[in-house]
Amino acid sequence: MKIPPHLCLPLLACGLSVAQQPSSPVSSPDKLTSIAQSISVTTTLEPLPLAESDRAVNLISPRDQPLVSNSVVDLLRQDPSLNLQARAANGVQADLSLRGTTFEQSLILLNGLRINDPETGHLNLDIPVPLDAVTRIDILHGSGSTFYGSDAIGGAVNLLTQPPPPDLTVVGSAGGGSYSSIEQHLRASYTQGPIATQLTGSRDTSDGFIPDRNYSSNALASETWLTLKPGTTDILLAVSDRPYGANLFYGPYPSWERTKGWFASVQQQLGQRTAASYGYRRHSDLFVLFADQPQIYENNHITTSYETALRRADNLTPNTTLSYGLEADGDSIHSNSLGQHARNQGAGYANLNLRALGRFSLSLGARDEVLSSNGNVFSPSVATAYTLTHTVRLRTSAGHGFRLPTYVDLYYADPTTIGNPNLKPESSWSFEAGLDWNPTNSRLTLTATGFRLQQKDTIDYSKLALATPTLTFAEPYQAVNIQNLNITGAETTLRLRLTTTQQLQFSYTAAHAASPPPNLISEYAYNYAAQNAIFAWNGTLPGAIFGRAGHQINAHTQVNVVQRTQHTAYLLWDVALSRNTGHLRPYLRLLNLSNTGYQEIPQVPLQGRTIIAGTEFNWTTSRH
């Protein structure tokens, strides 16, 4: 289903953005402190707790939306500032960007540790843990390099886990549907005294909606928490395996690809104010250009990366917190086409957060990153807010961001794409200003933010248009640094609580960059979601219509209207229903109910209407 351009803009203008951004506290420091404590559920010490941030942030809780989505990627579609560009269903492979940036300018974290792939940003969402292991997703809009380092130019997405509830819990589900899809998920946990452990696993398969688009997505994770002196120890082990048909993914070829991931981390609390962490990631990527003739062209890449950090947060006064730390990370690649390369970085950061300075709050941060390739990158940031009235808060922020080139950017070469070992790191300045309106005892809340991103040395793949289409196609894309790619936009949030169990959400984000120079064909930098609107309803079915059974059914419906640059807008409609009581909980998901034919990446079609049905088994011995 396509929407004519003359109808698209008015419809999008009606959508005032929601996703699930938390209402910003505007009444008292005590309320702010209670919120910060309520979400401190991990052993990670963040450089700046998002609950205390004067930035545009979004919190999504998967456990509050059981059976609505089958992957982290699908959950992220609830945030209109995120541009998800999938090549296949169920998050098998997708690109992510924020606020109109490229897919390599966003950072993905797992419990505060980097899981971006140094080979290419195409694999950043090859997440090693199942969705069932994730309890909260924190999304930072705008530059996050002060807090997290390289890649966080558009923002950062932090996947968080937490210890399970007391006693024994087993949650398993199995379902199937269109295109011979099968999904199987398991979460089993046990907590007794100072020991908590959790095992999660998922397996999702499909024959595909066209030839050579079958996939098998598998993930398994084990996490253990030991609460002893001097603090909680968190040990996470995860592995993933995803073979899939890659027909049309990177050109008109019946390709095949298989990625495998291994992730291990240890995080240790050293008292209430200090935490040490270490993470290790190994990832392999096997790509075959012709699935039935692998000998013609094959790429085999193996990357490894590590990160270690020592972080501390001191409460200088009841309303002043100083967070600071040291970090070191490195990565390497062993590839038949890219060669063998390695690099390391070290960094120190500090952030001073002052709350309740009368009507003001202020956050000042800085990070200095030392690169093994010589040189350093200094990334400062500032954010402030002013409580105008007891219901209205104004905020503004600015921050520096940067990104190191991936190994594909630097060293890749084939007949269609050429890397560039002389690429400079990207750098940027991000600015934003907004307001939060939170009327007392009102069912309505509103958040609005305007932003501006000014970039230098942006990495893109481009080529000059030649005289004929044949020659233009034959000319390879080359990795280059481009200048003055500046993005301006706005995001706004409106939530309406209809009843205690039902909520309406309206969301809208727009981003705009200047057109590329004449005769230049850009592969990535100018292919972004110019407008993204979301309408969503969550709740239980009305009891007045469905009787007592209605309150036992969780329901979610979401309509996305997306308009990408130089493309016609399209509409996607999803519906999810699930029982919320009992040991057996049937569920039904209707995806792309409008049966829209669409492409999130040019020349890569995605599947039409999809129906998935199954049952979840939910059992616990806990009485808490």
Side-chain angles (χ1 to χ4, degrees):
M1 176 179 178
K2 291 188 176 181
I3 299 176
H6 68 280
L7 295 179
C8 170
L9 295 178
L11 175 60
L12 292 173
C14 293
L16 298 173
S17 157
V18 165
Q20 290 187 331
Q21 292 183 335
S23 300
S24 301
V26 296
S27 55
S28 69
D30 292 338
K31 181 177 180 181
L32 182 61
T33 302
S34 66
I35 292 178
Q37 292 174 346
S38 68
I39 68 168
S40 297
V41 296
T42 73
T43 54
T44 302
L45 272 179
E46 293 294 331
L48 176 64
L50 289 182
E52 303 177 17
S53 174
D54 294 325
R55 301 282 302 277
V57 299
N58 188 354
L59 275 61
I60 297 176
S61 299
R63 301 282 174 87
D64 294 339
Q65 308 173 60
L67 304 171
V68 165
S69 299
N70 198 42
S71 71
V72 171
V73 172
D74 290 337
L75 272 181
L76 293 176
R77 294 184 185 278
Q78 298 178 15
D79 187 329
S81 292
L82 296 184
N83 178 25
L84 273 300
Q85 295 179 285
R87 291 178 175 84
N90 275 329
V92 170
Q93 192 189 106
D95 296 341
L96 177 146
S97 62
L98 286 97
R99 290 182 168 180
T101 56
T102 71
F103 67 95
E104 292 188 313
Q105 293 179 325
S106 299
L107 178 62
I108 312 298
L109 304 143
L110 177 56
N111 288 332
L113 295 170
R114 305 170 58 89
I115 58 173
N116 271 34
D117 194 276
E119 176 199 337
T120 172
H122 288 313
L123 302 175
N124 286 349
L125 287 177
D126 202 0
I127 297 169
V129 299
L131 171 62
D132 307 80
V134 179
T135 56
R136 198 177 83 236
I137 304 173
D138 293 356
I139 304 170
L140 173 66
H141 296 179
S143 176
S145 289
T146 298
F147 313 122
Y148 303 115
S150 177
D151 303 336
I153 286 180
V157 176
N158 193 7
L159 311 176
L160 296 166
T161 65
Q162 72 178 86
D167 299 321
L168 176 65
T169 299
V170 178
V171 179
S173 63
S178 304
Y179 314 113
S180 300
S181 300
I182 298 175
E183 56 185 40
Q184 300 164 318
H185 292 239
L186 173 68
R187 182 177 85 247
S189 64
Y190 181 74
T191 301
Q192 190 65 47
I195 301 176
T197 186
Q198 179 173 270
L199 177 69
T200 55
S202 63
R203 176 176 174 79
D204 302 298
T205 65
S206 172
D207 288 346
F209 71 104
I210 59 175
D212 190 32
R213 291 290 288 274
N214 57 306
Y215 63 82
S216 177
S217 179
N218 312 284
L220 180 68
S222 170
E223 191 164 11
T224 301
W225 296 263
L226 304 173
T227 305
L228 303 168
K229 291 184 178 181
T232 299
T233 303
D234 181 356
I235 303 171
L236 172 62
L237 302 171
V239 61
S240 63
D241 184 9
R242 297 183 173 96
Y244 49 88
N247 184 17
L248 302 177
F249 277 21
Y250 310 107
Y253 310 106
S255 306
W256 180 85
E257 193 163 4
R258 183 174 190 175
T259 63
K260 295 182 180 180
W262 298 262
F263 181 82
S265 68
V266 178
Q267 307 211 44
Q268 176 66 57
Q269 287 182 332
L270 303 171
Q272 293 295 316
R273 297 187 297 273
T274 307
S277 58
Y278 176 80
Y280 174 82
R281 179 181 182 270
R282 184 179 189 272
H283 189 269
S284 67
D285 175 21
L286 173 62
F287 173 77
V288 175
L289 187 63
F290 295 92
D292 57 347
Q293 296 177 288
Q295 71 278 6
I296 294 179
Y297 186 87
E298 175 183 310
N299 278 332
N300 196 342
H301 315 285
I302 298 176
T303 59
T304 60
S305 57
Y306 76 91
E307 180 180 7
T308 183
L310 181 64
R311 296 166 175 162
R312 183 175 174 86
D314 288 325
N315 294 321
L316 304 182
T317 71
N319 296 319
T320 305
T321 301
L322 176 63
S323 303
Y324 52 98
L326 296 173
E327 299 177 6
D329 62 87
D331 54 58
S332 64
I333 188 168
H334 187 139
S335 167
N336 69 323
S337 59
L338 303 179
Q340 299 183 42
H341 308 276
R343 58 192 177 187
N344 300 279
Q345 292 80 238
Y349 74 86
N351 189 84
L352 182 65
N353 192 28
L354 299 95
R355 305 177 298 278
L357 299 174
R359 291 176 176 263
F360 284 95
S361 62
L362 176 66
S363 176
L364 298 171
R367 179 189 187 94
D368 193 51
E369 189 106 7
V370 181
L371 310 177
S372 61
S373 58
N374 296 324
N376 69 298
V377 180
F378 182 67
S379 299
S381 66
V382 59
T384 184
Y386 176 73
T387 303
L388 186 63
T389 69
H390 70 285
T391 62
V392 177
R393 189 178 71 143
L394 307 178
R395 50 184 167 75
T396 185
S397 67
H400 179 266
F402 74 98
R403 180 179 84 85
L404 301 178
T406 65
Y407 289 119
V408 166
D409 292 336
L410 295 168
Y411 306 115
Y412 189 75
D414 68 19
T416 63
T417 306
I418 300 176
N420 182 355
N422 298 314
L423 288 173
K424 299 177 182 179
E426 298 178 335
S427 65
S428 68
W429 279 97
S430 175
F431 307 92
E432 68 178 50
L435 66 85
D436 305 314
W437 179 52
N438 195 9
T440 305
N441 300 322
S442 173
R443 295 182 175 183
L444 189 67
T445 61
L446 173 68
T447 297
T449 304
F451 58 86
R452 169 80 171 176
L453 180 67
Q454 298 182 177
Q455 302 185 67
K456 179 182 178 182
D457 293 322
T458 304
I459 298 172
D460 189 25
Y461 292 80
S462 59
K463 57 185 176 181
L464 292 175
L466 300 181
T468 67
T470 302
L471 290 175
T472 300
F473 177 79
E475 184 186 8
Y477 284 97
Q478 299 186 32
V480 295
N481 289 114
I482 60 176
Q483 305 302 322
N484 302 318
L485 177 56
N486 302 323
I487 300 172
T488 303
E491 55 196 17
T492 165
T493 298
L494 180 69
R495 287 185 291 182
L496 175 62
R497 179 170 52 84
L498 300 176
T499 68
T500 56
T501 61
Q502 298 184 38
Q503 178 175 270
L504 279 176
Q505 301 182 349
F506 302 89
S507 12
Y508 175 63
T509 296
H512 174 73
S515 300
N519 300 321
L520 183 72
I521 301 175
S522 169
E523 188 170 15
Y524 297 120
Y526 295 91
N527 179 32
Y528 57 89
Q531 301 184 88
N532 188 1
I534 297 174
F535 167 83
W537 173 84
N538 297 277
T540 59
L541 296 181
I545 300 175
F546 296 94
R548 182 178 178 181
H551 296 297
Q552 298 179 0
I553 304 297
N554 285 333
H556 172 85
T557 184
Q558 179 169 310
V559 176
N560 285 54
V561 181
V562 183
Q563 191 250 317
R564 304 187 186 279
T565 53
Q566 303 177 0
H567 292 84
T568 303
Y570 58 86
L571 179 149
L572 298 174
W573 179 22
D574 296 340
V575 175
L577 301 170
S578 64
R579 191 183 182 202
N580 57 31
T581 62
H583 293 309
L584 294 178
R585 304 182 180 184
Y587 64 90
L588 175 67
R589 286 198 302 273
L590 308 173
L591 308 177
N592 192 5
L593 193 58
S594 52
N595 200 30
T596 300
Y598 68 106
Q599 301 173 4
E600 294 183 333
I601 293 176
Q603 311 306 316
V604 185
L606 292 172
Q607 64 194 46
R609 184 182 298 113
T610 303
I611 301 174
I612 302 291
T615 298
E616 178 186 84
F617 172 77
N618 196 308
W619 182 78
T620 180
T621 63
S622 175
R623 296 183 179 180
H624 295 261

